[in-house]
Amino acid sequence: MLSTIDITDVTGSRSIEPAILYFGTPVVLIGSTNEDGSPNLAPMSSAWWVGWRCMLGLASNSKSTENMIRTGECVLNLPSANLVDAVNSLALTTGSNPVPPGKIKRGYRHEKDKFEISGLTRIAGETVAAPRAAECPVQIEAKVAHVHKMAQEDEVWRGNLVAIEVRVTRVHAHPGILMDDQPNRINPDKWRPLIMSFQQFYGLTPQKLQRSELGQIPESAYKPPGWRPAA
């Protein structure tokens, strides 16, 4: 059913120039490994998935970016909405020391042990050395496939942004969010991801808006014949 938006609001749309375009995506806590072998954990929300691949949009000078490019791996921990306090405790922290000038201006501080300040539990990955966060209902182990330098034609942004493609090597999920009769499927009625929209936290409503026609296609239909995840 269409919403009751006044048609004059639609036809009267204005051209705007927002500083950010974070219309709403799930929060990801990227687990990575520092040079000395210690763990790093950093929140981000510019991520999207196709099949068993994920694209991550990151600042070139972030510690997570540096760690991922150096080690070639990471863990994408997906927090549920009830972990908002843990995620928020990491928001203005960085594993970089010294703190990059741009982050100093925005109020960031260096923190060596991100797991301690967030209260999350570090557990080992199975296919990567990067850390998982036990409390996150979904933990996705991945390895770096490609690093794409973004905005190369833009004098202001050139060198500041990267899009990192990773290939997923293992997916862990809490039993409480799985379908009862299909253990390899996440139940969207039980999965309540933490959403970031224009730098504010939101959660999904418990009920579906309506039946999805795409949702009638079995998930297995998207798996190419003979495909297996590679370690």
Side-chain angles (χ1 to χ4, degrees), residues 27 81 84 192-204:
V27 172
V84 62
R192 303 264 70 84
L194 180 63
I195 303 294
M196 171 69 74
S197 179
F198 288 98
Q199 300 194 103
Q200 302 299 323
F201 290 120
Y202 294 89
L204 297 181

Side-chain angles (χ1 to χ4, degrees), residues 164-177:
I164 301 180
E165 178 188 345
V166 299
R167 59 181 178 86
V168 174
T169 55
R170 188 148 300 171
V171 178
H172 307 270
H174 289 185
I177 66 169

Side-chain angles (χ1 to χ4, degrees), residues 19-20 42 45 51 76 81 99 110 178-179 199-200 203 206 219 224 226 228:
I20 57 175
S45 59
L76 310 178
V99 179
H110 168 69
L178 299 178
M179 291 188 172
Q199 300 194 103
Q200 302 299 323
E219 288 187 10
R228 294 289 185 276

Side-chain angles (χ1 to χ4, degrees), residues 30-40 56 58 62-76 127-131 141-147 164-167 169:
I30 299 181
S32 63
T33 306
N34 297 319
E35 298 92 333
D36 60 1
S38 62
N40 189 52
L56 305 166
L58 295 161
S62 80
K63 191 64 176 178
S64 295
T65 302
E66 176 187 318
N67 287 346
M68 290 173 62
I69 293 175
R70 189 187 70 257
T71 65
E73 60 183 31
C74 64
V75 175
L76 310 178
T127 64
V128 298
E141 301 181 23
K143 296 188 178 181
V144 174
H146 301 285
V147 178
I164 301 180
E165 178 188 345
V166 299
R167 59 181 178 86
T169 55

